[in-house]
Amino acid sequence: MSNARRHGSTINGTNTTASASTTGANTPAAASLPGTTTPVPPSTTDDATTTLIRNTLVPTSALQRPLDATLPALTSFPDIDKELYAFIALILRQFVQGWYTRIADDDVADRAFVYEVVHVIAHVTRSLEERLRKAELEMLLLDDVPLVLDAHLRDFRLARQKVGTAYASGRSFEEMFHALQPHPAFPPPKHGRDGVEQSPSADDVERKFLAVLSKGVLAVLLPSEDLGSATERTLLRSLLADVVLWKTIDKLSEPFMVHEIISKVIEKSLKDDPSAVIEPEAILSQPAPDSSPKPATMIDSARSFIMSVMSFCSLMQAGVVFLISFARSTPPSTHPFGKPPNPPNSSLLTIALFPTAARLLNLPARQPWLMSTIELLALPLVSLPPGSLIDRLLSHFFHKYIMTSQFACSVLALSRQTLFPNNGPMAEPRIYPSETEKRAILKRVYGNILRVVPMRVRKQVLGDDALQGLEELLSPFENKFANKHLLYFLFDMVIVKVLPELAYKTPEELKMWRLGEDETGVMTM
């Protein structure tokens, strides 16, 4: 592997030297690292995660040195680097060291090889960070991602409604859903009369899709020196496609895993004990707050009158704005997900997050008049000065609470604990749950959701029967096949936003262009 990455190199005209030097990772060549093979024992100043990183990624001659002086910088944030180091250590320990140890038969050479792999990964992560900085993450997370989720919700409920009807003609739910959302990673599912899927090559097609996608990602992000090595490309492609993407998507598409993630996020935000027993029936049986009417005072009457006048004026204003905008409107352009993308610098009030949240709660079907009223009252805010103020507030809260290294670390830590419990092997997170255990997991997520929905608005959000409303809320994620479609569409959308080259060039064309083998020498998009 080339030493160029340690001194910084250029990818598609982007210099990565500055980001690599933020931590001062100056180490000698790993192949010449002498030293003993004694691992570092846990200590009071070295937690389990740091010990894992040291015993897996750090060369034997540098076990006592600080991590930031030994390992290359993965990003511009040391706290995010530590979580990424732990992820990389767990993956390499299970899927690389196992077979390379049998080849090298030497712990020093084994650690030197892992150390070189980490340097290549660091180059990829730094390049990826630079691209993420240039992407419009605010609109990506608040508009593009909800747009894909909205399509999933719509098509899932539509396919479920059609199953068993004359329209389905005996086709299964999976066949109906795939017809609505075809994806190249999945062949059309076929079911026999006994309901058993008769598509043994489905996993092969999915693995081949991930291999091609991983090849394209590496063709864009790998440094030119490493891209020219077929051995490095094959190794990293196998790690990315077969280990990271395949296993992660397969686990996250399990319905019980979705329920557990929701529960963990809520419990972490509420700072609750994960082992505490949560009963949704007990939460629903809690007495409602005192809502007995109180005698109205003159101030209350005046306030009610002023609010009524303001509501009437707002309604009239909304009607005028609606008529003007309707008269000036042009026919909407078609879009694969049913909504045209927002133009740059568009109002955050028009993003897909809000209608997607309403569709998730099934409000358009349960309370259509409420949705129409909200949309009508929101029209003035989009085109009048109050809307710009709300835009600034939404953007401020997004960057204050979401676009932070602390939030990224929380997501990475939660993901690592889900995929590698207690820093253990990435086999099953635990024994595959039985039907009884799945019902217990579902019951727990019901209780956690009820705890975060205020009692005063519970009826408006979940309907008259809260448990039935919760069942409808989580039903779009109850099918693994449909969940995989959702994950792949989300992954495709993020990849195209961050690596737009993949939308115009094949992986082989990108590799040839990067290595100077393209006869044209021009990168067209």
Side-chain angles (χ1 to χ4, degrees):
M1 296 186 182
S2 172
N3 291 331
R5 57 184 166 273
R6 299 175 193 168
H7 306 289
S9 59
T10 302
I11 297 182
N12 297 344
T14 302
N15 189 281
T16 60
T17 306
S19 58
S21 63
T22 55
T23 61
N26 301 318
T27 57
S32 61
L33 288 173
T36 61
T37 61
T38 305
V40 178
S43 63
T44 56
T45 59
D46 211 8
D47 59 14
T49 301
T50 304
T51 303
L52 166 71
I53 297 171
R54 288 184 180 278
N55 290 339
T56 308
L57 304 182
V58 177
T60 53
S61 64
L63 289 175
Q64 304 302 328
R65 296 174 59 186
L67 290 179
D68 58 356
T70 305
L71 297 174
L74 301 178
T75 66
S76 302
F77 304 93
D79 48 349
I80 296 180
D81 282 358
K82 183 178 179 180
E83 291 296 334
L84 290 175
Y85 286 143
F87 248 123
I88 295 171
L90 290 167
I91 292 174
L92 295 182
R93 184 182 68 181
Q94 182 169 356
F95 300 102
V96 174
Q97 285 184 326
W99 58 264
Y100 189 79
T101 301
R102 294 193 294 269
I103 298 175
D105 196 24
D106 182 1
D107 186 69
V108 175
D110 182 22
R111 285 175 177 265
F113 175 75
V114 170
Y115 189 65
E116 289 286 346
V117 173
V118 172
H119 273 280
V120 177
I121 295 175
H123 198 293
V124 172
T125 56
R126 291 196 300 266
S127 302
L128 188 60
E129 181 191 12
E130 292 177 1
R131 287 174 173 269
L132 287 173
R133 291 181 182 275
K134 298 176 182 178
E136 293 185 2
L137 292 182
E138 187 171 334
M139 298 307 297
L140 175 68
L141 297 178
L142 298 181
D143 190 63
D144 296 325
V145 170
L147 202 58
V148 177
L149 178 59
D150 186 79
H152 172 81
L153 298 173
R154 182 191 64 237
D155 293 338
F156 184 95
R157 287 169 176 156
L158 180 60
R160 186 178 57 182
Q161 291 173 1
K162 300 299 184 182
V163 171
T165 65
Y167 180 85
S169 301
R171 289 181 293 179
S172 66
F173 168 81
E174 287 77 9
E175 291 174 293
M176 296 290 296
F177 184 81
H178 184 77
L180 293 171
Q181 286 200 2
H183 192 279
F186 307 100
K190 297 180 180 180
H191 287 67
R193 293 183 178 180
D194 56 356
V196 178
E197 184 177 351
Q198 299 176 347
S199 182
S201 62
D203 286 350
D204 294 336
V205 174
E206 187 177 353
R207 287 180 180 273
K208 289 178 180 178
F209 175 82
L210 290 176
V212 173
L213 184 62
S214 301
K215 185 178 179 181
V217 171
L218 294 176
V220 175
L221 297 179
L222 271 182
S224 301
E225 296 83 357
D226 296 303
L227 185 61
S229 171
T231 303
E232 290 188 43
R233 291 200 313 269
T234 303
L235 172 63
L236 294 176
R237 184 184 62 197
S238 298
L239 285 176
L240 182 59
D242 298 333
V243 177
V244 178
L245 297 179
W246 166 262
K247 291 183 177 291
T248 300
I249 290 176
D250 187 68
K251 290 178 185 297
L252 293 181
S253 60
E254 292 284 358
F256 75 87
M257 187 67 74
V258 176
H259 301 156
E260 285 191 332
I261 291 175
I262 295 174
S263 287
K264 287 181 180 180
V265 170
I266 295 176
E267 289 165 2
K268 184 175 180 62
S269 63
L270 298 178
K271 300 180 179 180
D272 283 351
D273 182 9
S275 61
V277 178
I278 300 174
E279 296 288 343
E281 292 82 3
I283 298 176
L284 290 174
S285 63
Q286 293 177 355
D290 184 20
S291 58
S292 56
K294 299 179 180 180
T297 62
M298 184 177 297
I299 297 178
D300 293 332
S301 301
R303 184 185 296 113
S304 299
F305 176 78
I306 294 174
M307 292 299 296
S308 299
V309 173
M310 292 178 61
S311 299
F312 176 78
C313 294
S314 177
L315 182 62
M316 294 296 295
Q317 184 183 41
V320 173
V321 173
F322 174 78
L323 292 175
I324 295 175
S325 61
F326 180 80
R328 296 178 178 178
S329 63
T330 57
S333 59
T334 58
H335 190 268
F337 292 106
K339 173 183 177 294
N342 278 314
N345 303 322
S346 60
S347 173
L348 291 179
L349 294 173
T350 62
I351 58 178
L353 176 64
F354 302 117
T356 300
R359 189 184 294 275
L360 180 63
L361 298 172
N362 206 21
L363 290 181
R366 291 194 294 106
Q367 301 183 22
W369 284 105
L370 175 62
M371 289 303 304
S372 300
T373 303
I374 293 176
E375 292 174 359
L376 183 62
L377 294 178
L379 279 175
L381 299 179
V382 176
S383 55
L384 296 178
S388 60
L389 175 61
I390 297 177
D391 269 352
R392 288 195 294 270
L393 288 175
L394 290 175
S395 181
H396 169 74
F397 284 117
F398 176 79
H399 288 87
K400 182 177 180 180
Y401 296 106
I402 304 299
M403 296 298 296
T404 62
S405 60
Q406 293 82 1
F407 181 81
C409 287
S410 299
V411 173
L412 289 172
L414 178 62
S415 303
R416 176 163 58 89
Q417 182 60 28
T418 301
L419 297 173
F420 299 92
N422 302 318
N423 291 333
M426 189 181 180
E428 293 294 337
R430 51 180 170 75
I431 298 176
Y432 195 87
S434 63
E435 292 301 321
T436 302
E437 291 172 330
K438 289 181 181 179
R439 287 194 293 270
I441 295 173
L442 184 61
K443 188 176 182 180
R444 185 176 186 85
V445 74
Y446 281 179
N448 279 318
I449 294 176
L450 286 174
R451 291 195 299 161
V452 298
V453 178
M455 190 177 298
R456 295 183 182 275
V457 298
R458 189 174 293 166
K459 183 177 181 180
Q460 288 73 20
V461 173
L462 300 175
D464 296 329
D465 188 339
L467 292 179
Q468 184 178 355
L470 288 170
E471 181 180 355
E472 178 63 25
L473 175 69
L474 297 176
S475 63
F477 312 104
E478 66 184 9
N479 185 279
K480 182 177 180 178
F481 183 76
N483 291 345
K484 273 196 171 185
H485 276 68
L486 173 61
L487 291 176
Y488 273 102
F489 276 114
L490 287 173
F491 188 66
D492 291 346
M493 183 266 298
V494 174
I495 285 293
V496 171
K497 291 287 185 179
V498 180
L499 308 174
E501 299 95 327
L502 294 178
Y504 305 95
K505 292 279 188 178
T506 65
E508 189 63 26
E509 290 173 341
L510 286 171
K511 181 176 76 70
M512 294 176 60
W513 175 75
R514 289 284 313 283
L515 297 178
E517 300 174 3
D518 190 350
E519 296 180 357
T520 63
V522 179
M523 182 65 177
T524 58
M525 293 188 184

